[in-house]
Amino acid sequence: MRSSAKVVIVGGGVSGLSALYHLTLEGWTDVMLLERNELTSGTTWHSAAQCPQLAFNQLLLLLRKYTIGLYKELAEDPDYPINYHHRTGGMRLITDQDNMDASHHIISVAKGLGIEFDLLDPAEAVRRNPLINQDGLLGALWDDLDGDIDPAQLCQALARRARKAGAEITRNCPVTGLIQKPNHEWVVHTDRGNVEAEHVVIAAGYRANEVGEMLDITYPVISLEHMYFVTEDIPDLLARDTRVPMVRCPRDTFYMRQEKKGLLVGIYEEDCKTFGMDGIDPDFVNALCPDDLDRLLPKMEPIFERLPCLQEVGIKSVVNGPIAYAADAGPLVGKQPGRRNLWSMNGIRVGIGEGGGYGKMLAQMMVHGETEWDSWQLDPRRITSFANTEYTALKSIEDYQMEFQWHLPHEHRPAGRPAKTTPLYPVLQAQGAAFGVVNGWERTSFYKPSSDFVEEHSYHFCNWHDVVAAEVAAVQTRVGLAELSGFNRFEITGPRAAAWLDSLTCSKLPKSPGRVGLCYFLSCNGNIDAEATVVKFSEDRLWYCSAAAAEDHDMDWLTERLPSGSDIRITSLTNTHTVLIIAGPQARALMDAACPRTSFAQADFPWMTARSCFVGHVEAMVMAVSFSGEQAFEVHIPNIQLHAAYLALTRAGEAHGLAHFGMYAIESMRMEKGYGHWKGDFITEFNPIEAGLERFVDLSKSFPGKAGLERQIALGNRRNRVLLALDSTTTPAHAGETVFDGDKPVGTITSAAWGYRVRQNLVMAYVDPAQAGIGTELSVLLIGQKTGATVVAPCLYDPEHAIPRGRA
C-alpha cells in the first residue's frame, strides 16, 4: 500500500469509485481509495440500480444525462462489458393537475439542456406498459433513456479503469484516524499503516458519521430503511420479448421495473424507519435489515390496483437496506465547510442514477477549482450548523414519505420547522405572517389578510397574488417594514483589512468611511463566485453582508484567502443580528421620528451610506440602501434588542401608515429594478460581464480570477442576462424554464415574478447574445403553451434611480 498520495478517498461504493475514476480523467493519477470491507459492500450492492434521466432541476438533469452516457460507454467496452438495460424507457404517472403542470414545467426545463421528454395520454401509457391500469390516470411523463444497471459490475468497471490510469484501491482496510497537519495536508491512519495525502474525500455511505467522528464533524446525514420486493415470474412478461418500461408514481410513492421475468417493486411507506441512529454494528457488511412487509401494507392496495398482475403472483424475495439522506434530500458533494482539502460525497440517495455525474463534478472542483456546472444545489456548505442529526431525521422522513412528489413553487414543507427564528417570529406570526425558509431561518413571505387564509401553491398565480399587490402598493405610496432574518454579515477587522478585501474583489471597494458598495468576487476562471454589500467604517474595519444561504460558503472563501500570519479577523454576526427594512416615500420621516438623535434628511444621510444610530434606545447600524427601488434603510439590530427596536419603529410608523411586507413583495420589486440575486441569477456558470455587471468590474486592478475573466472577455459572451416581459397575465414563469426563438432554445430563465408597479409579468434569463437586444421577440413555455416574451430595458422602475437618490 502506498504511504502517500495526492488524494485518499474513504469509501468504496459507487460514489467513491466514481470520484476515483474521474480524478484520473481530470489528470490526477496519484490517487487511492480505501475501503473498510469489499467494494460495494454498503448500500451500493443492494441498490435497485435505476438510471433515469428525468429529474426536477437543471443540475440533476445534467448529472443524470452525463451518467447515462458514461454507463453506456462502459457497457459497450469490448474488454469489460457490463449488464446495462439502456433505453428501456420509463414513465412517471400523472394523476392530478399539479403533477401535470409540474410535468410541463420540467419538459420546458429539459428542452434548454437538449433533453426531450414526452407527455403520453393514458391509452399510450398502457400501450407501452400493458401491466398498468389506466384508471385515474391523466397521462404519463415519458423518459426514453430510463433503464437499470448491474451495480456490482458498474463499480468493478469504474475500479478497473481507475487502476489502469494509475489509481490504487485497497480493500479490507478500515480507516482508524484522520489528522490534519498545520499545512492543511492529511495523515490517514489505517490498520495497515499511515498514508499522507494532500486531499481527503469522505464517501462513506451510511457510515459517514462514523468517519465524521474522527474529524469532529456531524454530517447532516442519516439513513432510512428502504424495502423493495421481487415477484415470481409474471405470465405477461414470460410472453414478451422486450422489457416493460419503468414506472414511478408520485401519488402512491412506488416504483417498478422488470427483474428477469418478474417485477421489482419499491415502496416509500409512511411508517418508515431510520437506520443506525444509535450506531451501526461493525459487522453489518453486505447485510440487510430484517424484512418488515407489514409496514408496506397500507400502500399495497392502491399499488395492486395500478398493477393488477401483482395480485396473481407471489413474492420471491424482499430487500430491506439502508439508504443515506441529507437534510434536504440532496447529496453533499463538494468542499467540507470550515476545512481545507477535505471533500464530501455523502448523503448520496441516488448513487447509481447520478453517481457518474457526482464523480465528474467533484473531480473538476478538486483539479480545476470549479466545475462546468454551478453546483450550489449540492454544495455541502448550503446546509449550515442548525441541521443537527435530529433535524436531519425529521426532514429525511418527510422526504422519504413524499418521494417522487416534486415541490410546488414556493412550497416549504413543515417537518423540522421552525428551526431558526428571531425574537420577532411570534410577533410577526400574530400579525399574520406566512413564512418560508432560508438556510433554516423562518422568513416572512407575505401577510395573510385573515386568520383562516391558507396559502396556495401551484404553477399559476395563486390566492396571495392580490395580497402581495397591496403590500407593494403600501411600500410605493407610504412606508413598509420587512424583517430579513438570517441575512449574512461578517465584521472584518485588523491592520489594512480594507486593502486586503480590496485585493480580493473585482469591484471598487468603498473609499470613504461610512460608504457602502456592492462588490463581486470571482472564481479562478473569472465567473461569479460571491456577491457582498461592503460597508467601510475605516481602513481597519468593514462589514461584509451577503445572502443568508452564503454563510458557510463566504466564510470559507474569505478565510482561505487570509494572508499567512495575518492579524485580520473575521467575526460572524449572522446569528446575533437581524435586519429590519424600512422602505417607501415616508421612510425618512419614519426614521427621523424613531431616531431623534440622527437626521435622515437626504443631504445628511444619502443613498449608499451607513452609520450607527439609536433606534429608540437601541444602538443599530443603519444603511441607506434599497433593493426595492424606493427610499429605504436597512436597520441592523442585535437580536437581544430586536423587539425593542421593532416597537420603536412601528410606533413611529403609525403616523405614516406603516404596513408590513414580505419576501414575495421584495422579489417583485427587485425584478422591476433588474436586480439579480446570488445563486439565482448570479452563478458560477457566468462571468460578471455576461451577467450585466460591467460597472462593478475594475480591470485596472489585480484580483483573483482576473486572468480567467480576461480570457473569457476575449472570447466574447456565451450568454447575456436580460429582462423579459411576458404576454401572459394569468400564469407566471419559473426558474429553469427555456426561452425560445421560434422553436430554437436560446436561453434559460433564472427568476420570475409579477411586477406590481409596472404591471408586467417579468422574467430574468440568460439568452444567446444575438437575442439579447431590447425589443427582441422571443417566447417561453408556460404550462405547455408558447407565450410571447419581449426583451425589455434592464430596469423598468425608476431606471435613473432618482427615487433613492432623492431626485424624484
Side-chain angles (χ1 to χ4, degrees), residues 22 33 75 82 186 208 245 294 317 321 366 426 464 618 711 713 787 793:
H22 283 92
L33 181 147
I82 62 176
W186 293 89
D294 287 347
S317 62
M366 294 177 69
W464 45 262
V618 176
R711 284 195 300 271
I713 291 172
T787 300

Side-chain angles (χ1 to χ4, degrees), residues 56 92 96 98-99 102 249-251 253 268 270 325-330 349 386 391-420 425 434-443 445 455-459 664:
F56 194 58
R92 173 185 165 92
D96 61 42
D98 284 338
N99 271 294
C249 180
R251 188 189 68 185
T253 58
Y268 293 88
E270 289 289 323
Y325 275 70
D328 62 359
R349 184 173 58 88
F386 75 92
Y391 172 89
T392 301
L394 292 171
K395 293 304 293 184
S396 297
I397 290 168
E398 179 182 63
D399 287 319
Y400 183 94
Q401 292 169 336
M402 304 185 77
E403 188 75 23
F404 306 139
Q405 296 182 37
W406 291 333
H407 279 74
L408 290 167
H410 305 290
E411 181 186 11
H412 298 275
R413 292 173 179 169
R417 296 178 60 188
K420 298 175 76 174
Y425 176 72
F435 293 97
V437 182
V438 180
N439 191 20
W441 289 96
E442 296 290 324
R443 183 180 283 184
S445 301
E455 178 180 5
E456 294 176 351
H457 301 287
S458 85
Y459 285 87
Y664 292 173

Side-chain angles (χ1 to χ4, degrees), residues 30 52 125 364 422 480 637:
D30 181 19
Q364 287 183 337
T422 75
I637 307 158

